[in-house]
Amino acid sequence: MTIKDSPEEWEIRATETPFVGNKTSVRTDEVVMPDGAVVRRDYQVHPGSVGVLALDEEDRVLLIRQYRHPVRQKLWEIPAGLLDVPGENPLHAAQRELYEEAHVKAEDWRVLTDVYTTPGGCDEAVRVFLARNLSEADGERFAVEDEESDLEYARVPVDELVRGVLAGELHNNCLVVGVLSLVAARAGDGLDALRPAEAPWPARPFAC
């Protein structure tokens, strides 16, 4: 038996969108179950996201501390952002986010992992990249607004982040998944064996 996720789509008898927001919406589908019953499933429709685990030459991860209103906390996170344009190349989006949020560029990019954040209630798919060979970006810093106007920055050793994740002190999903995936990749075939930055992403198909 191969342990691998696979595409499948059950019959939808009806669908509606009772709420449309600025970036996301809520959809209600009437889905036919295996026994023939029809049930309603509400979920958030999300454009998808990218995250960047930026690793410097001292084995530190570039972090951002940002207020997140739904959970009423300031969270330490890796640079991340929405795929605002349908079909957008996720690598280009990740490079943009690293520049806009941290004014940093990277020469070496790999796919670290792909995840669905909350597949029981949201269709958000996130691709987390590993970015290495970091340097200061050229030009002026990107103008920030709203929550991003209060950002804090840090570069934290990988071992310290692993400890914080396992101690329940760090909670951002991209940070947690990214750091633990980095450690797992190192313990396995190594970082150079990770997928290339332009690897296909069935959850959010894109044009190179």
Side-chain angles (χ1 to χ4, degrees), residues 22-24 45-51 80-97 114-115 123-129 201-207:
N22 185 32
K23 298 292 186 180
T24 67
V45 179
H46 194 285
S49 307
V50 291
L82 298 176
L83 291 168
D84 293 314
V85 181
E88 182 177 17
N89 186 308
L91 173 60
H92 299 167
Q95 291 169 333
R96 181 188 68 235
E97 292 299 333
D114 298 326
V115 295
D123 71 351
E124 181 184 14
V126 180
R127 169 158 281 188
V128 181
F129 290 90
W201 189 16
R204 293 294 185 273
F206 61 94

Side-chain angles (χ1 to χ4, degrees), residues 18-66:
F19 171 80
V20 177
N22 185 32
K23 298 292 186 180
T24 67
S25 60
V26 173
R27 181 176 298 162
T28 299
D29 291 340
E30 294 184 1
V31 186
V32 180
M33 297 290 107
D35 64 359
V38 178
V39 301
R40 292 170 64 88
R41 291 289 178 260
D42 304 317
Y43 59 99
Q44 182 184 19
V45 179
H46 194 285
S49 307
V50 291
V52 183
L53 193 143
L55 188 67
D56 70 14
E57 68 281 355
E58 297 180 38
D59 206 41
R60 301 175 303 175
V61 177
L62 191 159
L63 297 185
I64 296 167
R65 190 170 184 239
Q66 182 171 353

Side-chain angles (χ1 to χ4, degrees), residues 158-181:
V158 172
D159 290 346
E160 185 176 335
L161 293 178
V162 172
R163 184 206 62 77
V165 167
L166 298 181
E169 298 169 354
L170 299 169
H171 306 90
N172 174 262
N173 58 346
C174 288
L175 171 59
V176 171
V177 170
V179 167
L180 298 186
S181 295

